[in-house]
Every structure is written in C-alpha cells, then in structure tokens.
Amino acid sequence: MYTALRLQRKLRQRLKSGEAEIVVVTPEPYMTYQPFLPEAAAGSISPRHVVVPLRRVLKHCTIVIGEAERIDHAKRTATVTTLATGEDGTGAVEIPYDEVVIAPGSVSRTLPVPGLADFGIGFKTVEEAIGLRNHVIEQMDIASATRDPAIRDAALTFVFVGGGYAGVEALAELEDMARYTSRYYHNIKPTDLRWILVEATGRILPEVGEAMGKYAVRELRGRNIDVRLDTRLDSCEARTAVLSDGSRFPTRTLVWTAGVKPAPLLAATDLPLTERGRLRCTAALRVDGVEHAWAAGDAAAVPDLTSSEPGRETAPNAQHAVRQAKVLADNILATLAGRPAKDYRHSYAGSVASLGLHKGVAHVYGRKLKGYPAWLMHRVYHLSRVPTFNRKARVLAEWTLAGLFKREIVSLGSLEHPRAEFALAAGGHAHLRPGSEGNGARPGGNPPEDDDGPPKTSG
Ligand SMILES: Cc1cc2nc3c(=O)[nH]c(=O)nc-3n(C[C@H](O)[C@H](O)[C@H](O)COP(=O)(O)OP(=O)(O)OC[C@H]3O[C@@H](n4cnc5c(N)ncnc54)[C@H](O)[C@@H]3O)c2cc1C
C-alpha cells in the first residue's frame, strides 16, 4: 500500500492520462495495521479502525481482489486467482506487467507439533484477533454455565506459544480484558483464569532488549501469568497442551505466535530466494541480479547496511517495511527516468510494546521505559504511524471514549455464523457457535458437535 501510495502521488498526471497504470493485487480490500491487532482483540479499538480501505486511499490505482498464485518474471506475468470464477472454473487471470513489486509479507511459521494444525489459531489477521476475543469471552460463558470442573478448567486455561511482539501483546491485552470482564460473572474470579506463555528461548520480546524483556517477564508473572522460558509445546492433541517440561494443560485455547515464514507465493516465482525463503534483494530493494523486479517488507531479504555484522538482513518488522516501501517507489521512478537508485539504510530505532491497559515496555533510541510512560509512548507512536488521518482520528476518539465509559465486554461470536438462527427457525440444522458444547452454554442448545478449537473466521 505504501509503495502504491507513493507511486500514485508521483505519477498522478501519467495515471490520469493513461500513460501509466498501477495494479494492486490483494486478497482483502484493506491494509491491516498489525501492531493494533492486540488492542482490537482487547476491545480498545474496533476492528474496522485497524484496517485501511485500499479503494479509498489508492483512488488512482486498479485494485484487484485476488491472490497472486505465480509470478513468471521471464514472461513478465502474474497469475492471479480472483473471486470471479471464469469458464475454466478457477477464476485465474494473467496480469502482464513492466515492473513488479513483491510484498506479500509472511505467514505463521508452524512446526510439526501433533494437534497444532487442527487446534491452534494464529494472530496475524484482524479475523484472528476478533475471533480470539469472541472465543475468550465465550470460554468464560461456558465456564460460568457448566457444573463440570474439567470443562470449566479447560475453558479458563489459555495457552500462548511464542514470546515475540504478537504473542506477548496478544496475551497481555486479552488477559487484561478477561480479568476486567470477570467482574461481571457471579462465579468467575480473576484467579480462576489461567494464562500460560510458552517460549522456547530464555527471553521474551527480544525487540525491546534484554533488560526490558526481563522486566516484561516480571510484570506478567506479577499478574499471575505463567511464563515458561526454555520450554516448547510438544503436542496439543485431544485439547491437551503438553509442554517439554512434562506439564500438561487441558485447554480449549491454543494461540500459536512462534515466528513467521515468508509467504508461499515466493516459492512460486522464478526469482532467487535465500535459504530462509525470502527474496534475495540488493540494498536498493531490487531482486538480486534481476531487472524490473522489486521487493520490500517481511518477504524481502535486504542487506542491513547499518550493521557491522556481515550478511545481516533487515528484520521483518513494520519499521523497516514502511520505510523500504517509500525508498522502493522512489527507486522505481528513478530507474524509469534513467537515474541511479538509492540504497535503503535505516538503523533500528528500538521498539515499544503494550502489556495491557496502562502497562508497557519500550526501548527507543537507547532510552528504556516501563509501565505507564512506556504504554503512553506505545500509543503515541502507533497513533502517529497508523495510515490516514481518518484512522488516526477514529482511533483517538475510541481511546478517549474508552477512558470515559466502561470497557466493552461483549462477544459477538455469533457474527461468525449469521445463518444459524434462521436455519434453526426454518427447521434445518443450525451450527453451534464455536466453543459451545451443548453443556448449557446455549439455552435450548443444539446437539453437541465437534468443536475444532478457536474460530478461524469472523464477521
Ligand atoms: C500482532 C502483531 C503485532 C506487531 N507489532 C509490531 C510492532 O509493534 N512494530 C513493528 O515494527 N512490527 C510489528 N509487527 C510486524 C509487522 O506488522 C510486519 O513486519 C509488517 O506488517 C510487514 O509488512 P509487509 O508489508 O511485509 O507484510 P504485511 O503487512 O503482512 O502485508 C502483506 C500483504 O500481502 C498480502 N498477500 C500475501 N500473499 C499474497 C498473494 N499471494 N497475493 C496477493 N497478496 C498477498 C497479505 O494479505 C497482506 O495484505 C507485528 C505483527 C503482528 C502480527
């Protein structure tokens, strides 16, 4: 989005005259500001405001809703699967191009842990964040309604695997939200909720440095969150998380945030990849040794010119992705005009992370902050970064209103199954909301059906 935005601004006249065309291929009609996902899960920001509608900001571009399946750079074509099914039944179209920008980001990196594919949920999309929020509140409803202690314990046990940004922020925000929500349940105390963070290495939040990472561990443990370092998830079959330290936790919630890997599209190109599967790029963001192909963000292995360590690549984070996008757009324009391209160079400024409402850690430009000041800095920083004035204003308004009124504690899980009520009324088979088990959670409940863990989609 940022590359297209800059190209659109600088090529305005040529786009209007038809001399140039920018085609943006995207599976969703919006860009997701991922650093706000944990706050969306906690209900501090509504889901619509963590995304930016592409058709509105990229008015002079052609937006194609679909997924690039293959890029044949030798032929300068991208094969794109769109929503419209064609005569061949696939909906695939071939889009020819002169220059290609490849920035599909990354996907969750899973390991062959038994049960994970059936039972886990990631935390990279707005659907996952909102689905998880609904799921957590629904587990509290189940726990409150059941008389079976085993069901209750499993419902109130939440396991997160991976102690990076996504895992720590998601867990911390959801725990904060659930603790607050528990005051509205007559039979759930905050201490009944069990939150477990499993991290394979000896530290969490490497982005904020060692000292602040240790502080984050202390802060979370002080809130009764069970942080297990140097521990791995061995399996999660039959809804039981088994850890490498031998402990077992019956649970209905397993969130997997243990790293990312490059988007699968990269393997379906004729372009050079690194051992880790990222596109091998030059510092000018050109795919190495290839004309007319460019890349940025999580998908691109870009040499980090500010590092003294040879061979080091820029880390996969928003800080680099957004800055690279702008340099990339300028380099395309420079190359087309016969001018030399510039190298991308940005020394990492540090990081901020939220640990729930009014709690955080930050390590920015050598300064370490914790608690309320770090949380405030987190909010100010991300407010300044979220794209468009419209979204900044809406997010700020929501934060302000949340300070005046009470926190939202509602779960709209049934949005994920909009036909359920009607199907029931019409005498057909209604689907239970995910998480319900016919154990009294839903009055007049339907027969139990298999629950495949946390929801994967949301309305
Ligand atoms: C919960 C969470 C919190 C984070 N917090 C921070 C933070 O505080 N600070 C920070 O610096 N970073 C943070 N990050 C990391 C940051 O969000 C990513 O590094 C950044 O979004 C990468 O940008 P990108 O443009 O490369 O990829 P993305 O933002 O992932 O965008 C890639 C886009 O390409 C689309 N796409 C994928 N495959 C295809 C295809 N085949 N065809 C067409 N389109 C495709 C995807 O749908 C997506 O819209 C966080 C990440 C998460 C998940």
Side-chain angles (χ1 to χ4, degrees):
M1 186 196 81
Y2 279 101
T3 304
L5 201 58
R6 198 163 178 94
L7 287 173
Q8 171 181 269
R9 199 172 300 144
K10 299 208 165 178
L11 289 172
R12 181 168 287 233
Q13 289 312 324
R14 292 182 172 194
L15 289 169
K16 278 189 184 158
S17 68
E19 200 184 327
E21 185 184 11
I22 303 169
V23 179
V24 179
V25 177
T26 169
E28 310 290 351
Y30 50 77
M31 174 262 193
T32 305
Y33 188 74
Q34 287 177 340
F36 273 156
L37 291 181
E39 288 211 46
S44 305
I45 304 177
S46 59
R48 260 191 298 273
H49 299 157
V50 300
V51 301
V52 178
L54 293 175
R55 291 190 195 281
R56 183 178 292 169
V57 291
L58 300 175
K59 282 194 206 85
H60 303 289
C61 300
T62 305
I63 308 289
V64 175
I65 303 300
E67 208 164 316
E69 298 289 348
R70 214 171 46 244
I71 294 175
D72 188 343
H73 191 63
K75 288 196 194 146
R76 303 275 196 282
T77 54
T79 307
V80 176
T81 306
T82 64
L83 295 176
T85 311
E87 277 174 10
D88 59 355
T90 65
V93 290
E94 287 217 334
I95 301 184
Y97 60 77
D98 298 311
E99 305 284 329
V100 64
V101 175
I102 306 171
S106 46
V107 295
S108 296
R109 176 171 51 90
T110 53
L111 298 173
V113 172
L116 180 62
D118 303 321
F119 185 42
I121 184 171
F123 198 80
K124 277 194 70 65
T125 65
V126 71
E127 291 84 353
E128 287 170 332
I130 303 309
L132 199 54
R133 169 192 170 76
N134 292 335
H135 173 82
V136 167
I137 298 175
E138 201 165 68
Q139 296 315 300
M140 296 173 73
D141 289 335
I142 290 171
S144 174
T146 184
R147 292 202 179 130
D148 183 332
I151 291 180
R152 181 181 160 95
D153 286 352
L156 295 182
T157 300
F158 305 95
V159 179
F160 285 63
V161 184
Y165 279 129
V168 172
E169 288 194 318
L171 179 147
E173 290 281 358
L174 282 164
E175 187 272 342
D176 211 43
M177 181 275 294
R179 187 152 28 87
Y180 175 85
T181 304
S182 69
R183 64 173 78 168
Y184 296 96
Y185 287 78
H186 69 286
N187 57 356
I188 298 180
K189 297 192 296 294
T191 45
D192 296 339
L193 298 157
R194 183 156 204 197
W195 297 82
I196 300 150
L197 177 64
V198 183
E199 164 57 44
T201 69
R203 48 99 193 95
I204 62 167
L205 286 178
E207 300 87 355
V208 295
E210 200 184 331
M212 289 297 96
K214 281 187 179 156
Y215 165 80
V217 171
R218 281 200 306 279
E219 212 280 339
L220 296 177
R221 283 182 175 156
R223 281 156 62 181
N224 222 8
I225 295 169
D226 186 350
V227 182
R228 295 191 179 221
L229 303 176
D230 296 311
T231 309
R232 290 180 323 278
L233 175 75
D234 277 352
S235 74
C236 53
E237 286 169 308
R239 293 191 184 178
T240 300
V242 180
L243 307 187
S244 58
D245 60 8
S247 46
R248 303 166 67 85
F249 298 99
T251 178
R252 301 165 58 94
T253 312
L254 189 110
V255 186
W256 180 268
T257 53
V260 292
K261 65 178 183 190
L265 166 67
L266 303 187
T269 70
D270 49 355
L271 298 168
L273 303 182
T274 63
E275 270 172 20
R276 292 180 163 207
R278 290 170 107 191
L279 280 169
R280 191 148 37 81
C281 293
T282 66
L285 305 166
R286 191 178 259 136
V287 178
D288 201 7
V290 183
E291 294 287 305
H292 311 294
W294 308 81
D298 285 10
V302 179
D304 186 350
L305 299 185
T306 64
S307 169
S308 50
E309 209 181 299
R312 198 176 171 95
E313 297 164 6
T314 56
N317 59 46
Q319 204 176 120
H320 285 299
V322 169
R323 288 174 172 83
Q324 286 173 353
K326 291 180 183 159
V327 175
L328 195 165
D330 289 346
N331 280 349
I332 291 181
L333 295 172
T335 310
L336 291 176
R339 295 194 310 273
K342 284 199 180 120
D343 283 347
Y344 172 77
R345 181 186 292 269
H346 167 69
S347 39
Y348 193 58
S351 219
V352 289
S354 157
L355 298 176
L357 202 59
H358 303 160
K359 301 171 271 286
V361 277
H363 189 172
V364 180
Y365 294 118
R367 283 193 62 134
K368 295 175 192 150
L369 293 176
K370 53 192 182 191
Y372 188 85
W375 172 82
L376 198 61
M377 177 182 254
H378 171 265
R379 282 208 158 175
V380 172
Y381 173 76
H382 285 300
L383 191 65
S384 73
R385 291 282 145 186
V386 68
T388 79
F389 178 72
N390 177 316
R391 286 304 182 257
K392 289 186 209 300
R394 286 177 189 269
V395 168
L396 186 61
E398 279 190 302
W399 283 343
T400 312
L401 289 172
L404 297 175
F405 300 106
K406 290 184 177 152
R407 211 168 167 151
E408 289 298 342
I409 58 158
V410 72
S411 151
L412 289 180
S414 49
L415 277 180
E416 290 150 24
H417 301 272
R419 290 197 62 251
E421 290 299 337
F422 183 77
L424 193 63
H429 283 291
H431 285 283
L432 278 177
R433 296 188 318 184
S436 314
E437 276 194 308
N439 55 16
R442 184 180 172 125
N446 308 309
E449 67 172 11
D450 283 347
D451 179 359
D452 56 359
K456 306 256 182 321
T457 57
S458 114

